[in-house]
Amino acid sequence: MENVSNEVKLESISAFQSAIRKSENALASMMQQGANTILLTKRLKALQIGLTILETAWNQRPHHYTGDEIADARKVLTGLFPSLQNSYAKAKLGSPQRTLLERRIKAIELAVEAMDHLDSR
């Protein structure tokens, strides 16, 4: 985790913030429609925890999450990889969508790594 450039750190934090905003907007829309929001709520919480754990690792910010919450978030985040990688493979080379997915995948990988590092302390 120490060998991550400032550029990658900023891109990763930005990728998490973007995913959180997108999820919050989708959640609001789904709630208006009366749709089931359980899965999206779990993903949103996992994204928020992932962002917090990165900020903890890189900026020494404290977090208030329990080990169980972090473990659950880790499981949800790793569960996103197949879908993200599938979308990445389909995205046009050089497209903004592909860049976004690349950064999102990297951010989640780094968050999972940081969560694993927390467990080993």
Side-chain angles (χ1 to χ4, degrees), residues 14-83:
S14 178
F16 264 103
Q17 291 169 337
S18 170
I20 289 168
R21 276 191 310 275
K22 183 178 177 183
S23 295
E24 287 171 340
N25 291 337
L27 185 61
S29 175
M30 289 174 69
M31 289 174 77
Q32 284 180 335
Q33 297 170 5
N36 187 337
T37 59
I38 293 171
L39 179 62
L40 186 55
T41 301
K42 284 179 77 170
R43 284 183 180 170
L44 177 57
K45 183 171 182 173
L47 290 167
Q48 291 166 334
I49 291 172
L51 174 59
T52 299
I53 296 303
L54 284 182
E55 290 175 334
T56 297
W58 294 334
N59 303 326
Q60 290 71 49
R61 291 193 181 158
H63 72 82
H64 60 278
Y65 296 109
T66 66
D68 287 343
E69 288 174 314
I70 293 169
D72 289 344
R74 185 191 185 287
K75 185 176 180 181
V76 170
L77 292 175
T78 56
L80 295 175
F81 283 129
S83 173

